Amino acid sequence: MRSETSLRAGVVGLGWAGRQHMDAYSSQADVELVALAGMEADQLALLGDKYGIAPEYRFADWADLVAANCVDVLSIATPTALHAPIAVAALDAGIHVLSEKPMAENADKAQTMVDAARRNSRVLEVSFNHRRRGDVQVLKQIVDAGLLGDIYYAKAGWLRREGIPGMGSWFTRQAKSGGGPMMDIGVHMLDMALHLLGEPDVTTATAATYAEFGPRGKGASAYGLGRKTEVTADDFDVEDLATAFLRLDGGGTLLLESSWAQWIPYDQCYVTLYGSEGGAAIEWGGEPGDPYRKLGIWTEKDGVPAVLTPVVPPDGGHLETVLQFLAIVRGDAPTEHDGAEALVRAKVVDACYASAAKHAEVSLGG
């Protein structure tokens, strides 16, 4: 029997990310996963059986789930171009929303999500699960404690040697995805960097994008949706590498880069901070069979150079993201969480793409 204090949860999207949300909701005693939506009939049946979803709450169309008035909270794990329409409809129906990143295919669509959250006094959160990493969490504590002093320069990047996801799928079509690696994985690094830096305003963006692999059918991921090698202009109209130089309010700068494919020895991710009193770097990547993770902090003690090795807590991932979302929904000030922080990321990504198209610096002024 359902408790009066339990929350009814639903998930739209039956892929890997959606399943992370399903697992998270199902792990909580005070949450009932009651509805799923997705177009893949076989997966809908399989997952419906796995999570004990009643047949009448297994929907092929997300709009039917929203209209059924059967959930209090909803996770969205669909192609990017569906985030805004699903979120707006759900928020207008009084449902709290947790969307996968990126927030939407552009900042205008992201703004409609924020507007819907505000007019309905509902929670809108966007899942940036990588900020839940243990190394990011401990470095955030170190930065906030002032150990690095004033951070004036930062670098962040996610680089793949060969990892274009789903060549010819929605990932590589601008109308459905909003962009290539800058939108897909670069936004994770942008989020981590701004989070660590204390959310400074980005004032200008100077960016460039390149498509040297995808249009030739090269660089496809060995996993996921296959390795299509014969592509047309309709199959791939996004970048496969993007780089941006961002000026921050207060005079700091952030160098951001992301790629799905380039000639490097192995995949690499990093966030590096340069402060007046110390520096720090998080790195992970490596060969599939030989991955590595590093967290380094360099400073001095009484004039003597010092290297710090803090204890790193376990990663949080999607579970922690979902748990925080649920806590916000149940908290004292849920309307303070309206997606505004994620909207900032969307505006920065838009500015980067605009700069790349114009070959000029773009301002993010008010």
Side-chain angles (χ1 to χ4, degrees):
M1 178 177 291
R2 178 174 178 263
S3 165
E4 291 183 1
T5 60
S6 67
L7 292 171
R8 301 168 299 166
V11 177
V12 181
L14 308 178
W16 179 86
R19 297 179 193 208
Q20 304 308 302
H21 291 253
M22 295 173 205
D23 285 344
Y25 288 130
S26 297
S27 71
Q28 302 305 299
D30 56 356
V31 178
E32 291 183 276
L33 179 61
V34 300
L36 299 177
M39 297 177 63
E40 303 86 357
D42 57 337
Q43 293 303 308
L44 186 60
L46 179 69
L47 294 168
D49 290 346
K50 176 180 178 180
Y51 293 102
I53 308 299
E56 62 268 28
Y57 293 132
R58 305 178 188 184
F59 301 96
D61 190 329
W62 63 262
D64 292 333
L65 187 160
V66 172
N69 190 30
C70 61
V71 299
D72 305 302
V73 297
L74 182 68
S75 283
I76 302 171
T78 64
T80 304
L82 289 174
H83 290 183
I86 297 173
V88 170
L91 292 162
D92 283 341
I95 301 168
H96 302 284
V97 169
L98 173 61
S99 175
E100 272 298 311
K101 65 82 210 166
M103 188 173 189
E105 68 270 34
N106 57 56
D108 288 343
K109 292 294 181 65
Q111 183 70 61
T112 67
M113 298 165 70
V114 173
D115 292 343
R118 289 173 176 169
R119 69 172 171 262
N120 294 289
S121 298
R122 288 297 180 267
V123 173
L124 171 61
E125 284 283 288
V126 176
S127 175
F128 287 108
N129 58 294
H130 278 277
R131 69 156 71 176
R132 314 294 175 187
R133 295 171 56 93
D135 43 17
V136 174
Q137 294 182 54
V138 74
L139 182 53
K140 176 62 173 169
Q141 294 172 1
I142 288 168
V143 171
D144 289 349
L147 187 61
L148 304 185
D150 294 325
I151 300 173
Y152 53 88
Y153 180 47
K155 300 188 295 184
W158 187 326
L159 310 174
R160 291 177 180 167
R161 172 171 175 144
E162 189 178 30
I164 297 175
M167 185 79 78
S169 73
W170 67 269
F171 275 103
T172 63
R173 298 178 180 181
Q174 195 275 336
K176 294 184 178 181
S177 65
M182 174 69 79
M183 181 71 75
D184 177 36
I185 53 180
V187 72
H188 270 308
M189 309 315 293
L190 173 64
D191 175 72
M192 272 189 277
L194 294 180
H195 174 63
L196 289 168
L197 293 171
E199 301 299 330
D201 290 336
V202 179
T203 59
T204 66
T206 304
T209 58
Y210 306 89
E212 297 295 332
F213 287 77
R216 295 187 291 147
K218 296 181 178 295
S221 172
Y223 310 98
L225 299 175
R227 297 174 61 85
K228 184 174 182 178
T229 57
E230 294 183 7
V231 299
T232 68
D234 291 334
D235 291 325
F236 197 101
D237 62 353
V238 297
E239 84 281 5
D240 48 38
L241 183 149
T243 182
F245 179 75
L246 307 177
R247 295 188 182 276
L248 310 177
D249 185 46
T253 52
L254 168 61
L255 182 65
L256 178 69
E257 60 178 347
S258 54
S259 72
W260 278 340
Q262 64 183 120
W263 293 120
I264 53 178
Y266 45 72
D267 294 0
Q268 181 184 28
C269 300
Y270 64 89
V271 180
T272 308
L273 308 179
Y274 300 86
S276 59
E277 306 302 323
I282 296 171
E283 295 182 23
W284 73 94
E287 299 284 358
D290 187 26
Y292 70 89
R293 289 180 64 160
K294 300 177 184 178
L295 169 60
I297 299 169
W298 303 273
T299 183
E300 66 177 19
K301 180 68 174 177
D302 298 328
V304 178
V307 179
L308 307 184
T309 54
V311 175
V312 176
D315 293 342
H318 279 88
L319 174 60
E320 189 171 309
T321 299
V322 170
L323 294 184
Q324 183 181 38
F325 168 62
L326 295 170
I328 291 168
V329 169
R330 290 193 167 103
D332 295 330
T335 56
E336 294 180 3
H337 298 267
D338 56 12
E341 191 172 88
L343 176 60
V344 169
R345 279 76 172 141
K347 289 180 177 179
V348 172
V349 170
D350 270 12
C352 290
Y353 283 133
S355 171
K358 296 177 180 179
H359 302 281
E361 185 175 76
V362 168
S363 173
L364 284 88

